[in-house]
Amino acid sequence: MLAARYHGIGQVRVEHLPQPECGSGQALVKVAYAGICGSDLHIFRKGMFVSTIPEVMGHEFSGVVEQVGPGVTTLQPGDQVVGDPRVSCGICPWCRTGAYNLCPALGFIGEVRPGCFAEYLVLEANKLIKIPAAVELRRAALVEPLAVALHIAGQGRLALAEHLGIVGAGPIGILTVLVARALGVKRITVIDIAAERLALAGRLGATILQTFPGGQGDQPDVVVEAVGVEATLAGALGWLKPRGRLVMAGLYEERVDIDPNDIVVKELELVGVSAYETGDLHRAVELIAGSKMDVEQIVTHVLPLASAPKGFAILASGDKKAGKILLTPKEKGEENGPGR
Ligand SMILES: [Zn+2]
Ligand SMILES: [Zn+2]
């Protein structure tokens, strides 16, 4: 089968590998669509998270069950599925209460075991979630990033925001706009340096800005930081209103130098957000299957799996015109204009 493997910083190669076999309690899934995530870029640029090299990348996918191993009764061939890509120890106090995202040993498929940038992958049946047959697989591939936005909304108590600031108009920032709107948040301001990305946030009714506003005028009471660099973190701290809440959703590639006095003198509250809980994944499946929430707006490219290196090149380039890039093992891919 075809698969895209990480071979070291800046190196993603498309190769032919043996098709994986499913053991007891597992299922073999034929991948339909797989999304390139911000964390895949952290791997590509910095070599973060990966435990063995080479490794098949990717953790966001939709697909169809091809075969089930002995003992699997919850799935059958032909079922449409998405996956819970979290790989955790299973025995720590966090895992025992189901809070796998807080497991100290947390990893993801595509990092600590083979991922979904491949024609097939094998996963434990209890890590696969069925999707109704009527749901398009292309839409279903967005369950995982939508679960991140739902976890941001829950942890960050976004429903209580009067004026929500979102820093970063990438896929997670845009999905957070959609979720916040659905929760009834009326005022949303989105900041990003890239005009193309901002335009989409603007079409969703958010006020858009390319730089942090100065002064004490119109400060948000809640800001979601979805970038993860020094300038955006410092900007977010400075932007928030006193007693405001900073929801930290971006992962950092470098250490940052900020002025902690912004937190002290304004009595800010800081909330970290890591991945999602199982309930967020199920809620995302419900929203994708049962609502009209237009999550597909974040998809700017659907590339054939064989073009995975091109997908990484587009996302790693400085112009930030791309949103979510989906890979498909289908030969052709489906070109998609920005912002569709
Ligand atoms: Zn992801
Ligand atoms: Zn654990």
Side-chain angles (χ1 to χ4, degrees):
M1 65 165 188
L2 219 55
R5 288 203 293 181
Y6 175 74
H7 279 265
I9 291 174
Q11 296 176 57
V12 174
R13 293 185 207 149
V14 178
E15 298 164 311
H16 286 279
L17 300 179
Q19 187 175 310
E21 286 171 25
C22 64
S24 96
Q26 297 182 317
L28 176 72
V29 177
K30 188 175 201 298
V31 176
Y33 295 93
I36 304 181
C37 181
S39 59
D40 296 315
L41 274 186
H42 292 311
I43 296 169
F44 182 73
R45 285 194 297 238
K46 291 278 169 175
M48 293 162 76
F49 315 129
V50 174
S51 57
T52 46
I53 293 177
E55 185 63 279
V56 178
M57 299 183 77
H59 62 265
E60 302 176 2
F61 72 93
S62 62
V64 177
V65 174
E66 178 97 355
Q67 197 189 323
V68 295
V72 175
T73 55
T74 51
L75 292 169
Q76 47 188 356
D79 284 345
Q80 293 200 149
V81 289
V82 294
D84 176 351
R86 297 171 298 172
V87 181
S88 64
C89 78
I91 51 172
C92 75
W94 302 103
C95 282
R96 274 183 297 183
T97 60
Y100 307 119
N101 60 322
L102 300 178
C103 174
L106 180 72
F108 286 80
I109 66 167
E111 296 172 6
V112 299
R113 59 181 267 185
C116 60
F117 293 171
E119 286 177 81
Y120 294 91
L121 92 156
V122 161
L123 210 57
E124 283 62 34
N126 63 11
K127 292 281 192 176
L128 291 166
I129 305 169
K130 258 196 256 188
I131 300 283
V135 179
E136 281 177 64
L137 284 165
R138 187 172 127 148
R139 181 170 164 84
L142 302 174
V143 161
E144 201 262 3
L146 180 58
V148 175
L150 291 170
H151 196 51
I152 288 171
Q155 283 290 105
R157 310 192 305 281
L158 300 197
L160 305 175
E162 275 167 28
H163 178 194
L164 174 64
I166 296 177
V167 184
I172 295 300
I174 297 295
L175 289 173
T176 303
V177 172
L178 290 170
V179 169
R181 281 271 182 256
L183 288 170
V185 178
K186 301 229 158 38
R187 287 202 58 204
I188 302 177
T189 303
V190 178
I191 295 189
D192 198 298
I193 47 174
E196 285 83 0
R197 289 181 160 204
L198 273 182
L200 175 52
R203 287 200 292 281
L204 298 176
T207 303
I208 53 175
L209 297 171
Q210 279 188 302
T211 52
F212 287 96
Q216 311 299 309
D218 200 13
Q219 296 168 291
D221 53 324
V222 181
V223 169
V224 174
E225 202 292 317
V227 180
V229 300
E230 184 173 295
T232 52
L233 176 59
L237 288 170
W239 189 23
L240 269 165
K241 152 199 253 190
R243 294 256 166 96
R245 179 158 64 251
L246 177 65
V247 184
M248 299 179 66
L251 273 168
Y252 295 79
E253 288 181 357
E254 314 275 353
R255 287 176 180 271
V256 294
D257 188 1
I258 55 161
D259 182 357
N261 284 334
D262 278 332
I263 302 166
V264 178
V265 301
K266 289 202 281 186
E267 297 193 346
L268 298 180
E269 178 190 355
L270 265 54
V271 179
V273 180
S274 179
Y276 35 76
E277 295 170 78
T278 307
D280 297 309
L281 281 169
H282 287 279
R283 180 88 192 102
V285 168
E286 279 167 29
L287 279 171
I288 294 252
S291 84
K292 299 204 166 32
M293 188 182 274
D294 194 2
V295 291
E296 282 189 74
Q297 297 189 74
I298 65 170
V299 178
T300 55
H301 302 70
V302 183
L303 302 176
L305 175 60
S307 301
K310 180 182 162 191
F312 277 88
I314 292 169
L315 289 172
S317 73
D319 65 0
K320 305 236 181 291
K321 287 198 172 103
K324 176 63 74 188
I325 296 183
L326 296 179
L327 302 173
T328 175
K330 285 188 240 170
E331 232 158 87
K332 292 230 159 197
E334 302 150 18
E335 268 313 323
N336 219 3
R340 130 67 262 154

